[in-house]
Amino acid sequence: MACPLHPYHTKSLRALGAETKAQEEAAKRVPFFGPMSRKATEARQRLTAAVVEEVRQNRIMQRMPLLVGQTIQRNDGIITDLLRDIYRTVGRRFVVDGFDQAEQKATEPEKESLLDAWFTRVDQWLDTPEAGREIRRITDTQRRDIIDAINEGLEEGLGTEEVAQLIDDRMEDIDQQRGRTIARTETITASNMSSQEGARQSSTNRLKQWFDSDDGRVRDSHEIIGASDPIPLDQEYEWTSPEEGVVTARFPGDPNLPAAERINCRCVELYVEPNE
C-alpha cells in the first residue's frame, strides 16, 4: 500500500515541474556508473584472485567450497573499502545537492562542513550491522558464483590446477556483470542517502517525496509509492510487496530493503517545503 497522506497541506511537487527536476537529479548519477563499475569489478577480481591462489595451494578437493568462504571472509575488507570509496565519492556531490534543495545554495564553509560530516557518517555507517549485512550480501553472491564453478569442476573430475583455471575463466565475465550491478545499486543508495543527509542539515522544515523513473521498467511498488504525497524526513516510506509483505524505506535504495525492491533501483528523492 502507498504510505498514508501527510496531514499538512503541501505544495504539489508534480505541479511545480518536479518530474523534470527528478529526471535532472537522476541524470546526475549517470556519470558515476562507469567509474564505480570499474572499481567494483576490480574489487571482485581481487577477491577472485585470492580464492584462486588458495585453491592452487589446496590439495583436498572436497574442502574447496569451505575454503572459498573462509578466503572471502578473510578478505572482505576489499568490499568495505569499495563501499567507502563509492559512498564518499558519490556523496561529495549529493550531500551538497540535498542541502541546496532544502535551503539556499550552500556557501563554501557550509560545503566543507557538509562534506566533513558526510565522510564521518560514512565511516560510522561502515561499522554498523546494516553495513555488515550489505558487505555479506555482496560477498555471499561472489562465494556462490565461485562455488558453482568449483562444483562443476568436481563433477568433471578436474584436478586442483584445472579447477583454479576454471574459476579464473568463468569469473572474468561474471565479475564484470556483478560489478556493474554493485556500482549502480550502491551509487543510487549513496546519492539518496547523502542527499537526505544534506537536507537534514538545512535550517528549513522540509518534506521528502519519492520519485520513480516514469518508464516501463519501474517496479509496480515504486510506481505506487512514487504517486503518494510528501512525508516528513524522519518518516519512512511504506508499501506492501506481494513477495515481501509490508516494506519500509528511509529513501530509495535503502540498504534495509529486500534485494527485489533495491537492486538496480533508479528512483530519486526530492524535498519540498510544507504549505501549512
Side-chain angles (χ1 to χ4, degrees):
M1 63 180 178
C3 60
L5 298 181
H6 191 267
Y8 292 148
H9 296 292
T10 62
K11 298 176 182 177
S12 171
L13 277 174
R14 299 182 189 279
L16 295 175
E19 290 287 1
T20 299
K21 175 63 176 174
Q23 292 171 1
E24 292 173 351
E25 287 299 306
K28 294 176 184 177
R29 291 146 172 80
V30 176
F32 291 97
F33 291 155
M36 296 305 107
S37 291
R38 289 189 287 275
K39 290 177 182 292
T41 297
E42 180 184 353
R44 277 191 54 113
Q45 289 171 339
R46 289 174 62 194
L47 279 178
T48 296
V51 170
V52 168
E53 182 62 26
E54 288 289 343
V55 168
R56 285 196 166 112
Q57 296 178 14
N58 179 62
R59 297 301 173 185
I60 305 176
M61 302 293 287
Q62 290 72 21
R63 291 189 65 249
M64 284 187 180
L66 176 62
L67 187 69
V68 171
Q70 293 173 339
T71 303
I72 289 179
Q73 184 177 18
R74 190 165 59 249
N75 291 277
D76 65 3
I78 293 172
I79 302 303
T80 302
D81 291 342
L82 170 66
L83 293 182
R84 179 180 289 107
D85 192 359
I86 292 176
Y87 280 65
R88 286 173 65 98
T89 302
V90 175
R92 288 180 65 91
R93 169 67 182 272
F94 290 97
V95 69
V96 175
D97 187 78
F99 182 91
D100 288 348
Q101 282 190 56
E103 198 162 311
Q104 295 180 350
K105 192 173 181 62
T107 64
E108 288 305 316
E110 286 173 331
K111 288 181 182 179
E112 292 182 12
S113 177
L114 286 166
L115 292 177
D116 287 344
W118 173 246
F119 293 160
T120 298
R121 167 85 189 278
V122 171
D123 289 339
Q124 292 173 341
W125 178 72
L126 287 170
D127 287 332
T128 65
E130 177 180 278
R133 289 192 298 271
E134 181 63 4
I135 292 165
R136 285 193 299 274
R137 181 190 66 77
I138 293 171
T139 56
D140 281 351
T141 298
Q142 183 149 5
R143 178 181 57 81
R144 290 193 296 269
D145 289 339
I146 293 175
I147 287 177
D148 285 344
I150 288 176
N151 287 337
E152 180 180 337
L154 292 176
E155 289 174 3
E156 295 178 6
L158 301 181
T160 300
E161 181 58 35
E162 293 171 310
V163 170
Q165 189 60 52
L166 178 63
I167 296 170
D168 211 13
D169 293 341
R170 291 292 171 83
M171 293 301 293
E172 183 174 359
D173 289 339
I174 293 174
D175 283 341
Q176 290 183 353
Q177 294 168 5
R178 300 288 196 194
R180 286 193 293 270
T181 299
I182 292 168
R184 296 180 73 89
T185 299
E186 300 301 339
T187 293
I188 295 299
T189 298
S191 62
N192 285 312
M193 182 189 290
S194 59
S195 178
Q196 189 178 109
E197 183 67 18
R200 290 178 184 277
Q201 298 302 318
S202 73
S203 60
T204 58
N205 180 22
R206 292 280 175 164
L207 304 178
K208 62 185 180 182
Q209 184 166 8
W210 183 303
F211 275 80
D212 62 59
S213 299
D214 195 29
D215 59 29
R217 293 188 291 152
V218 176
R219 294 169 172 87
D220 290 342
S221 55
H222 293 189
E223 188 173 9
I224 291 172
I225 199 68
S228 60
D229 278 5
I231 61 175
L233 285 176
D234 291 333
Q235 184 174 323
E236 293 190 339
Y237 301 101
E238 181 178 313
W239 65 93
T240 299
S241 165
E243 296 81 14
E244 306 291 342
V246 176
V247 176
T248 61
R250 296 162 295 180
F251 45 80
D254 189 333
N256 289 320
L257 281 169
E261 295 286 346
R262 178 173 178 249
I263 303 300
N264 283 325
C265 173
R266 296 167 297 136
C267 299
V268 301
E269 185 175 81
L270 297 182
Y271 309 102
V272 59
E273 183 178 0
N275 184 20
E276 298 178 292

